[in-house]
Amino acid sequence: PRTFHSTMTYEAAKDAKYVFNNDLHPQVDQSPWTLCSTGNQVVLKKLHEKRVGEENPIDYNAPDDIGNSPLIWAARNGRLECLKWAHEHAGDIGATGYLGMTALHHAINTMTEECMEYLISNGADCAAKDENGNTPLHLGACRGVLNLVTAPIDGGCAVDVANFQGITPLMLARQIIVLQGYLAIENDYGSRLLRSYAEELQGVLLE
């Protein structure tokens, strides 16, 4: 989570100054990034309403010092209600942040399935690539959780798209199964279902 000490960008500094000058809840870090990352929707809404009244609305797309917006922090940390709030108030679910990752990349990477499902259902690009050429499916394939694989596939991400190292999600899934001897899900049905997806979409049987 963000702290005042890590506030470096102009937008972030402006919000930090606002926190010190406005006594909404003095013991709580009230920067939009922290409120979204910690899921403090109550204070976030109060801050939002106060800022709107002062004609200085919160920008849910503003980057912090590592490039993440409040919306991305909500998705990354599994704060579904804050994610919805940010999206409903002009937050861009397709914007990129740290390492060129979208909110969907972050949600899948941290295995926050509810946020992942919300983003996909609201049009997040399942084929978007980060700075390393990874799609959200690349990250899902590394996690060994079935929903993190099937949801991006259903959303249109191909299993054979290579990142900048020439590695595809299918290769990563194979490594999970072959090198580790298991797909880290609860039962064999999930493993067979992933193989079924691979056969149907790629014509490749994971052995």
Side-chain angles (χ1 to χ4, degrees):
R2 292 181 50 83
T3 66
F4 293 125
H5 303 292
S6 67
T7 300
M8 297 175 64
T9 65
Y10 172 75
E11 289 295 331
K14 184 168 65 175
D15 277 302
K17 182 178 179 181
Y18 181 91
V19 172
F20 285 117
N21 293 338
N22 293 271
D23 188 25
L24 287 175
H25 209 301
Q27 68 268 37
V28 176
D29 179 347
Q30 295 161 22
S31 69
W33 300 273
T34 296
L35 295 175
C36 283
S37 71
T38 57
N40 195 334
Q41 190 183 17
V42 172
V43 177
L44 179 65
K45 286 184 176 181
K46 289 181 179 179
L47 179 63
H48 178 95
E49 293 166 359
K50 191 172 182 66
R51 292 275 294 269
V52 168
E54 296 172 355
E55 298 184 353
N56 179 30
I58 295 173
D59 182 0
Y60 293 99
N61 299 312
D64 63 4
D65 51 300
I66 66 170
N68 284 346
S69 66
L71 183 146
I72 288 176
W73 275 113
R76 181 186 184 279
N77 288 2
R79 312 303 184 181
L80 180 60
E81 294 307 315
C82 287
L83 171 60
K84 290 179 178 178
W85 176 267
H87 182 219
E88 291 165 359
H89 292 85
D92 181 5
I93 61 175
T96 58
Y98 179 67
L99 296 180
M101 295 167 67
T102 64
L104 183 58
H105 280 97
H106 281 279
I108 291 179
N109 195 42
T110 55
M111 299 186 289
T112 57
E113 294 186 41
E114 287 186 335
C115 289
M116 172 196 71
E117 292 168 357
Y118 175 83
L119 290 165
I120 292 175
S121 68
N122 282 275
D125 183 3
C126 291
K129 291 187 175 184
D130 65 14
E131 291 181 0
N132 296 309
N134 291 315
T135 66
L137 185 56
H138 280 86
L139 304 183
C142 291
R143 295 294 174 260
V145 177
L146 184 63
N147 288 346
L148 301 183
V149 172
T150 57
I153 291 174
D154 289 341
C157 191
V159 299
D160 60 345
V161 174
N163 62 17
F164 297 151
Q165 289 75 45
I167 299 172
T168 68
L170 196 59
M171 292 176 183
L172 294 171
R174 181 182 289 114
Q175 289 175 359
I176 293 287
I177 296 172
V178 176
L179 297 181
Q180 298 184 23
Y182 70 97
L183 182 64
I185 51 180
E186 294 183 354
N187 53 53
D188 182 61
Y189 169 75
S191 180
R192 288 186 281 110
L193 182 58
L194 179 59
R195 289 189 173 95
S196 175
Y197 265 94
E199 288 178 327
E200 177 183 349
L201 298 174
Q202 178 68 2
V204 174
L205 176 62
L206 298 179
E207 298 179 349

